[in-house]
Amino acid sequence: MKRSRFSEEQIIGILKEHQAGATAADLCRKHGVSDATFYKWRSKYGGMEVSDAKKLKALEAENTKLKKLLAEQMMDVSTLKQMLGKNFLRPGSRRRAVSWAMKEKRYTQKRACALAGIDPRVYRRVSKRPADTDLRGRLKELSSERRRFGYRRLHILLKREGWHVNWKKLYRIYREEGLTVRRRGGRKRAVGTRAPMAIPQGPNQRWSLDFVSDSLSCGRRFRILNVIDDFSRECLAAVVDTSLSGDRVARELDRIAEMRGYPCMVVSDNGTELTSNAILKWQEDRKVGWHYIAPGKPMQNGLVESFNGRMREECLNEHLFDNLRHARHLIAAWRDDYNHHSLHSSLDGLTPQEYHKRSREDQNLNSANL
């Protein structure tokens, strides 16, 4: 903007002369200004003193400065939003962000470094690290040949070929080249059988397992392992504890088997405790078949699911458990009542214990007739 020949003090002095009686035409001729300039001065500075003009000038300067700061701030916000898509965890990525801001947004180096959070000396530092072109090329070749090999096994292959490289350096190059092996989707599940299950025709032919969770009055969570006989609907165990691992499940199954013998088959879902190495080893050692239901299909294990619903409705929702001992006592009492006093329409109106006893008597009678 063109700077005026007159200062604010001089303009106010000219306007004072006009107030004293001098005509506008004489003042314009005397000071060499146009009529439009004179009347513009009068609209802006009319009735002001020199101190008021100085204050107005300071306010205009401050307003200009604030406008500039606001514009820079808005530009920084816009630039930072575009930078957020970049990874700022390492100095290399910050350097690239600074270079991008300087090239695309015409930032100065100091301003771009402040925005990216990096010291200008770090940005200007030249790396003396070797390019390792041969190593990178060989690593790419091996990774293309062994697509499921991670950097550890690739490191062993390179050592066998005579490459002397630290595994941490190899891992850095491995990441920089984008050779990370992608994990396959979904967790590994136990194989088990998927064939339709036959209806058990006698006790101890098939057991069903499942977990139920609840909480104590203090808010601490606990779990219940329920084991039932699918033929008689008898609850063989209701193990209550805060943690039930695969080893614990295997021990509880052995404890039940000491009294009843081992079943022909066990049915369960694909929970981590029931697909652990301890359970897989237990199946193999005891020669017990294990059927895993399809994921997301609890109706395939409907007998124990029905039992869990009855336990929750008749016991868990009816009591507040003070501690783990209290919970074990009440659940054991409910289990005893269920086995000996709860009548089932599917069992011809008998209790699980009565139906089990009657089936034993029928088997003994049949064997005697034979």
Side-chain angles (χ1 to χ4, degrees):
M1 184 176 69
K2 185 178 179 180
R3 186 175 179 182
S4 175
R5 293 186 295 115
F6 300 91
S7 65
E8 284 81 0
E9 293 84 355
Q10 292 173 332
I11 294 173
I12 292 175
I14 294 171
L15 294 177
K16 291 288 186 182
E17 292 180 19
H18 179 64
Q19 293 176 2
T23 64
D26 294 339
L27 291 174
C28 290
R29 190 181 308 110
K30 177 182 177 181
H31 297 285
V33 297
S34 65
D35 293 343
T37 301
F38 177 81
Y39 287 112
K40 183 180 179 181
W41 286 351
R42 194 173 70 171
S43 65
K44 185 175 182 180
Y45 298 103
M48 294 179 62
E49 299 294 334
V50 176
S51 59
D52 297 333
K54 290 181 178 179
K55 291 179 182 179
L56 179 61
K57 185 177 180 180
L59 288 174
E60 289 178 347
E62 185 178 359
N63 188 36
T64 303
K65 184 178 179 181
L66 289 175
K67 286 182 177 179
K68 183 180 178 181
L69 290 175
L70 179 61
E72 291 179 351
Q73 185 69 22
M74 293 177 66
M75 186 176 179
D76 287 348
V77 170
S78 176
T79 304
L80 192 58
K81 285 182 178 179
Q82 297 179 50
M83 282 184 175
L84 288 178
K86 308 178 188 303
N87 187 358
F88 277 2
L89 297 180
R90 296 184 178 276
S93 59
R94 294 177 185 266
R95 288 193 191 97
R96 289 190 291 272
V98 170
S99 300
W100 173 83
M102 293 171 61
K103 181 180 178 181
E104 300 293 334
K105 300 293 184 179
R106 305 297 181 184
Y107 273 55
T108 63
Q109 185 184 107
K110 182 178 180 180
R111 183 179 171 192
C113 289
L115 192 61
I118 186 175
D119 193 276
R121 291 173 296 178
V122 177
Y123 172 74
R124 293 190 294 265
R125 180 180 177 273
V126 180
S127 176
K128 299 179 181 179
R129 180 178 289 166
D132 297 313
T133 307
D134 296 337
L135 177 60
R136 290 174 184 268
R138 184 54 186 156
L139 184 61
K140 288 182 179 179
E141 292 176 1
L142 287 176
S143 63
S144 62
E145 295 171 4
R146 307 282 187 175
R147 292 184 299 171
R148 301 306 300 174
F149 274 26
Y151 74 94
R152 290 185 177 88
R153 288 194 282 182
L154 291 175
H155 184 221
I156 296 173
L157 293 179
L158 288 172
K159 285 177 64 177
R160 290 179 178 177
E161 294 181 2
W163 292 88
H164 299 286
V165 56
N166 185 276
W167 70 268
K168 289 182 283 188
K169 178 180 179 180
L170 181 71
Y171 179 65
R172 174 178 58 80
I173 297 174
Y174 179 79
R175 292 289 300 273
E176 290 175 357
E177 295 296 331
L179 303 177
T180 307
V181 178
R182 292 181 178 272
R183 290 185 178 272
R184 300 189 187 277
R187 67 179 179 85
K188 188 175 180 180
R189 300 180 184 274
V191 179
T193 175
R194 290 287 187 265
M197 295 183 299
I199 299 175
Q201 300 299 318
N204 223 37
Q205 291 185 2
R206 192 175 72 203
W207 295 353
S208 292
L209 277 67
D210 200 9
F211 291 92
V212 182
S213 62
D214 206 343
S215 59
L216 303 175
S217 56
C218 63
R220 187 181 182 185
R221 303 291 296 178
F222 67 90
R223 305 181 75 195
I224 309 167
L225 169 65
N226 289 327
V227 185
I228 68 168
D229 188 317
D230 286 359
F231 175 75
S232 64
R233 311 297 198 274
E234 185 180 3
C235 179
L236 306 181
V239 184
V240 181
D241 212 329
T242 54
S243 176
L244 294 168
S245 63
D247 291 324
R248 175 70 181 279
V249 173
R251 291 199 303 269
E252 293 297 334
L253 293 177
D254 284 333
R255 183 183 61 81
I256 300 171
E258 290 178 0
M259 299 179 290
R260 300 178 61 94
Y262 288 98
C264 300
M265 178 182 290
V266 177
V267 183
S268 74
D269 58 17
N270 289 272
T272 54
E273 302 88 353
L274 304 177
T275 57
S276 62
N277 291 331
I279 293 298
L280 296 178
K281 186 176 183 301
W282 183 88
Q283 303 171 31
E284 183 178 355
D285 294 343
R286 275 65 173 181
K287 307 300 180 184
V288 174
W290 201 289
H291 177 89
Y292 291 101
I293 65 174
K297 301 288 185 180
M299 68 288 295
Q300 295 182 4
N301 201 12
L303 297 178
V304 72
E305 291 290 342
S306 175
F307 174 83
N308 292 344
R310 176 171 291 189
M311 170 182 278
R312 185 168 297 281
E313 182 180 5
E314 297 179 2
C315 180
L316 302 182
N317 292 345
E318 294 294 319
H319 300 284
L320 285 177
F321 305 110
D322 298 332
N323 49 51
L324 207 58
R325 179 181 296 178
H326 185 218
R328 286 170 177 161
H329 173 73
L330 291 179
I331 291 173
W334 179 86
R335 170 178 167 265
D336 182 77
D337 179 78
Y338 170 84
N339 286 335
H340 294 87
H341 304 287
S342 181
L343 304 178
H344 286 253
S345 59
S346 60
L347 302 180
D348 297 331
L350 302 176
T351 65
Q353 192 69 27
E354 292 171 346
Y355 194 80
H356 177 266
K357 183 178 179 181
R358 192 182 73 173
S359 64
R360 287 286 187 183
E361 294 174 351
D362 293 342
Q363 290 178 3
N364 295 333
L365 182 60
N366 292 335
S367 60
N369 293 335
L370 292 176

